[in-house]
Amino acid sequence: MTGMGTDHRPALAIVGATGAVGTVMRDVISTRPDIWGEVRLIASARSAGRLLPVRGEQVEVRALTAEAFDGVDIAMFDVPDEVSASWAPAAAARGAVVIDKSGAFRMDPQVPLVVPEVNPTEISNRPKGIISVPNCTTLSMIVVIGVLHQAYRLRELVAASYQAASGAGQAGTDALYDQIAAVAGDRTLGQRPGDVRAAIGDGGPFGAPLALNVVPWAGSLRPDGWSSEELKIRNETRKILGVPDLRISATCVRVPVITGHSLALHAAFEAEVDAEEARKLLGDAPGIVVVDRPENAEYPTPVDVAGTDPTMVGRIRRSQDDAHALDLFVCGDNLRKGAALNAAQIAEALI
């Protein structure tokens, strides 16, 4: 770190500061320990000149240019893949360590894909000056899976995700609220073919109505009927755990939730497992909260995890048919740990 801030603490840039994750990032930076000198806000030229709050101050947004990174020690990027692909190397060339939330570099063998609770030693292995942050769905489960993998050695994972509308960006959040408003108060809806579609009209970014419904699709189409979100879970988990041939299958589903991705997991291990031991391991691990008393209706739900940092895990059971397998349910805030918090943790570890 070159320590270019005016008070000799490191200077931080938030690129994409006006977006949904950028907004959460400004909140995360404002509420975690204040280790930064200057915090520079960078966005597209149309947002330049806006004043945005961070650390209790109004900071003017700068346009995204190469010169905007002069004197910056760490640059956190939350922008589309094509923007990161162009501008992250430019920021690194100006001397900043880039922490990138996009998918542009996740599978690049010269760019570490880091979750500080799982593979912190990878932070120092960054020949391109770039560190990548996993997809928000992967991040909603990987801290839990990392603890169990360390104890029992994961050999196979089957995941079904229940992904919030905000995973599709602000457009997704707005669309779900609009759809809820369109169906609110009509108790006849959802009982006949086509009635919800007729009430809502265009499904927006989900391809189908999300209110009063679930949509078994998230991401873009990939070969053989898979979605990009499903392949991200597979490929990113393999890279983070360092097991390139790990057997993983995922089905991604969009659900009418604003914030918080959930996953139902069936994890099979090399060693025999014990549910109570797994509960204790997870309860003792940083970044995880165990909520697992179904007899008292206590289990993880997205409305309980929204706006919080930890991953919640519950419904922890040993498989009835396999003494080496656990079934469990996890929830994480897809905008906090799923994006902003993980980037902040990496930045703090760099310092």
Side-chain angles (χ1 to χ4, degrees), residues 31 33 47 75 117 192 194 198 207 212 222 242 254 266:
T31 54
S47 296
E117 297 93 337
R192 296 178 304 280
L212 304 182
R222 293 293 185 266
R254 193 75 70 181
H266 176 81

Side-chain angles (χ1 to χ4, degrees), residues 50-64:
R50 288 179 58 184
L51 294 175
L52 295 176
V54 63
R55 297 190 300 180
E57 302 174 358
Q58 294 293 317
V59 176
E60 184 174 340
V61 176
R62 301 187 186 200
L64 178 56

Side-chain angles (χ1 to χ4, degrees), residues 102-286:
S102 83
F105 302 98
R106 287 182 187 140
M107 303 316 297
D108 186 326
Q110 292 188 293
V111 176
L113 185 64
V114 173
V115 182
E117 297 93 337
V118 181
N119 60 342
T121 59
E122 288 298 304
I123 290 174
S124 60
N125 177 29
R126 48 177 199 278
K128 291 187 174 181
I130 301 170
I131 300 169
S132 202
V133 173
N135 174 260
C136 54
T137 315
T138 304
L139 275 167
S140 296
M141 68 163 193
I142 196 64
V143 178
V144 167
I145 288 298
V147 170
L148 298 175
H149 174 63
Q150 187 174 30
Y152 304 119
R153 305 306 299 174
L154 186 67
R155 62 176 171 82
E156 184 172 356
L157 180 67
V158 179
S161 73
Y162 307 86
Q163 295 181 215
S166 58
Q170 190 61 46
T173 298
D174 292 342
L176 179 54
Y177 278 129
D178 290 344
Q179 291 181 20
I180 291 171
V183 302
D186 188 344
R187 298 195 178 192
T188 69
L189 290 173
Q191 302 179 57
R192 296 178 304 280
D195 62 353
V196 174
R197 287 185 182 270
I200 288 173
D202 182 6
F206 310 116
L210 191 58
L212 304 182
N213 201 21
V214 299
V215 181
W217 188 261
S220 53
L221 183 63
R222 293 293 185 266
D224 301 319
W226 294 96
S227 81
S228 58
E229 288 283 306
E230 291 159 350
L231 297 185
K232 286 173 187 176
I233 292 174
R234 183 174 191 256
N235 296 333
E236 292 172 16
T237 300
R238 286 174 157 190
K239 184 173 179 178
I240 293 163
L241 297 182
V243 187
D245 59 350
L246 186 63
R247 292 161 59 99
I248 301 177
S249 182
T251 299
C252 290
V253 180
R254 193 75 70 181
V255 295
V257 167
I258 297 298
T259 303
H261 287 354
S262 307
L263 296 98
L265 303 175
H266 176 81
F269 300 91
E270 299 291 346
E272 188 170 325
V273 297
D274 176 81
E276 194 52 49
E277 180 184 59
R279 262 184 222 100
K280 185 175 189 313
L281 288 169
L282 293 167
D284 291 341

Side-chain angles (χ1 to χ4, degrees), residues 312-325:
M312 289 187 180
V313 58
R315 300 298 325 280
I316 301 166
R317 298 146 284 154
R318 189 165 85 164
S319 170
Q320 293 183 314
D321 302 311
D322 185 354
H324 291 246

